[in-house]
Amino acid sequence: GTGATVRRSGAEGVAAPVVVEVDGTRAPWVPQEPNAELTLPEGTKQVVVDPDAHLNDAGRSNNRLPAKWNVIATGWFDDLSATAGTFSLSADLVFRPADDNRNLYLIGLEHGAQDIVSTYLGYVRYLGNPVTRSTREHRLLFTAGPALLDPAFRPTDDGAVALGGNIGYTWDTRPFAKVQIHGHRVSVATGGGVVPGSDERWASAGATYVQLLPAHPRHVFATRLRAAWASGDVEHRLLTLGGSDSLRSIPSPVWVGNQRLTGQLEYRAAVLRDVSLPIGFGWLSEVVVVPGVEAGVVWRDGEPRPAAATGVTAGVYLLFDALGARPTLFGVSAGMPLAVTTIPMNEAQVYVSFDYAF
C-alpha cells in the first residue's frame, strides 16, 4: 500500500488523545493543533482511527482505510390476513460502509396484495440527530425497480410488468425499539412509473403523520393521519381504502381511487410489562391490548360519489425474547366495519403481524 495521512479537523482547543491502529498495532496520538496531521509511512496497508469508538465523532465513516463494508441480509413476512388469504413478504440485502450512520444502499424484494413480486434498488441518506449508532431522525429514500402485477388484485395482461420509482422523506423521533411510548413520524413521498410496451402509466404523492401520546408508561394513544393522491391507468398503483396498510376493517381489493383520506386512533395498554415468563422458544416480557377506531374516504375520478367507511379494531400483541436474545413482537388483530357506503359489508378482517399497525 501507499502512505496514509490521519487528520484531526473541527473544534479548537486541546484535543483528546486518540488511538490509531496501523496494520494491527495500536498507539496513542495527541494532536497538537486543530488541523494536525499524522503522516504514516509507505507500505501502510490498514489504518483505523479510534477503533473502540471512545471519542465523540461527528462522522466515523472516514476513520478506516481501506473502507470496510457491512453486508446484512434480512427477510420477514407480515400482515397475514386470515380472512383474505393475503400477506406481505419482504427481503433486503443491505450494504453499509462500516461506522457510517449516514448512507445505506440496498437491494429489495417484496410481495404484497398488488404485486406478485417486486424488486428494487434503493439508497437511504440519514440526516440530523442520531437515534442509534446506525440511524438518524431524518432520512431520504430513493428506490427504483420492476414489479410483476398480480391479476388477482385487478385484471391485467398476463405477465404485466411495471417499472417505477419513488422518492420519500421521513422525520421520525420515536425510539428505535419494539416498545415505543412517545415521539412522532412525518413522511412525504412521491413516485411514478410506466408499464413498458403500453401507454399505461401512473403518478402518486402522499403524506403520513403518526403521533404517540403517552398518558402513562403503560398507556399510550397512537394516531395516524394520511392523505394521498394517485393518477394514471394502472389500477395496481391507485389508492386502496382497505387492507393492512389502510383501513384494516375493510378488505383490500374492494375500492381503489385517486384521492384518499384516512385516520386511525389506537389505545395501547400494557397489561403486563417487564416480566420474564418462559414460553417454549423464548421469554414473554410484555402483553399489550390495542382497541382502536378508524375512518376513511376515497374518491375515484369520474364517479359521482366517494366510497367511505368507518370501523373498529382490536388486537393483542406479545413481546418476547426469541431464544432469549432478540426482542420480537407478535400480534393478532381484527377489524370490523361499522358504516360503509355503496357496498353492504359486515365481515370481520383478521390479521397476524409482527408489528403494530403503525
Side-chain angles (χ1 to χ4, degrees):
T2 61
T5 300
V6 178
R7 178 182 297 108
R8 180 226 179 192
S9 61
E12 300 286 341
V14 178
V18 60
V19 173
V20 179
E21 181 180 303
V22 181
D23 294 336
T25 300
R26 297 188 177 189
W29 174 48
V30 183
Q32 299 298 318
E33 55 187 33
N35 294 301
E37 293 186 355
L38 173 65
T39 301
L40 303 177
E42 294 287 336
T44 298
K45 296 180 179 179
Q46 188 178 59
V47 182
V48 183
V49 178
D50 193 20
D52 296 322
H54 288 309
L55 301 182
N56 292 325
D57 195 334
R60 298 186 178 276
S61 59
N62 59 354
N63 286 5
R64 185 184 298 268
L65 186 71
K68 177 184 176 181
W69 288 78
N70 296 325
V71 181
I72 302 173
T74 62
W76 63 97
F77 81 90
D78 204 2
D79 292 324
L80 171 62
S81 173
T83 46
T86 60
F87 64 94
S88 62
L89 177 67
S90 300
D92 288 328
L93 194 61
V94 176
F95 302 86
R96 183 194 293 272
D99 303 316
D100 186 354
N101 61 2
R102 291 187 180 274
N103 299 283
L104 182 149
Y105 307 85
L106 63 145
I107 302 172
L109 186 73
E110 293 184 344
H111 163 79
Q114 291 91 342
D115 301 331
I116 296 175
V117 64
S118 64
T119 185
Y120 59 87
L121 298 176
Y123 168 68
V124 182
R125 174 67 176 177
Y126 291 96
L127 305 165
N129 297 323
V131 177
T132 68
R133 288 191 63 180
S134 60
T135 62
R136 292 174 177 265
E137 285 188 359
H138 304 270
R139 61 181 180 267
L140 294 170
L141 171 65
F142 306 85
T143 62
L148 181 61
L149 305 179
D150 192 344
F153 179 81
R154 285 292 187 273
T156 185
D157 295 335
D158 292 340
V161 174
L163 294 177
N166 295 279
I167 301 174
Y169 161 77
T170 298
W171 175 26
D172 196 343
T173 64
R174 298 172 303 170
F176 192 78
K178 291 297 183 181
V179 178
Q180 297 178 336
I181 62 173
H182 62 83
H184 69 261
R185 176 169 63 88
V186 179
S187 300
V188 293
T190 185
V194 300
V195 175
S198 74
D199 295 329
E200 296 182 352
R201 60 193 70 245
W202 79 90
S204 63
T208 300
Y209 176 71
V210 174
Q211 180 71 58
L212 301 181
L213 301 170
H216 181 275
R218 288 176 176 263
H219 305 274
V220 178
F221 290 94
T223 184
R224 179 172 70 174
L225 303 174
R226 306 181 78 182
W229 164 88
S231 178
D233 313 305
V234 186
E235 294 275 312
H236 298 68
R237 295 297 179 263
L238 298 185
L239 306 168
T240 63
L241 187 60
S244 61
D245 193 44
S246 185
L247 299 190
R248 299 170 72 87
S249 58
I250 307 296
S252 173
V254 175
W255 294 299
V256 296
N258 302 100
Q259 301 91 34
R260 182 185 65 192
L261 294 174
T262 60
Q264 294 160 291
L265 175 65
E266 290 185 346
Y267 167 57
R268 301 172 182 174
V271 295
L272 286 179
R273 173 163 288 175
D274 297 329
V275 299
S276 185
L277 302 176
I279 54 172
F281 55 88
W283 282 263
L284 178 68
S285 59
E286 181 166 311
V287 177
V288 182
V289 295
V290 185
V293 295
E294 58 184 15
V297 58
V298 62
W299 291 265
R300 181 69 182 257
D301 292 346
E303 295 291 334
R305 55 182 298 193
T310 59
V312 295
T313 59
V316 177
Y317 293 83
L318 309 179
L319 181 65
F320 59 92
D321 293 332
L323 304 177
R326 182 178 180 85
T328 301
L329 189 67
F330 173 80
V332 177
S333 61
M336 174 67 74
L338 292 179
V340 181
T341 63
T342 70
I343 300 177
M345 194 176 302
N346 56 12
E347 181 182 3
Q349 305 298 309
V350 180
Y351 301 90
V352 176
S353 61
F354 289 90
D355 205 348
Y356 294 114
F358 54 90

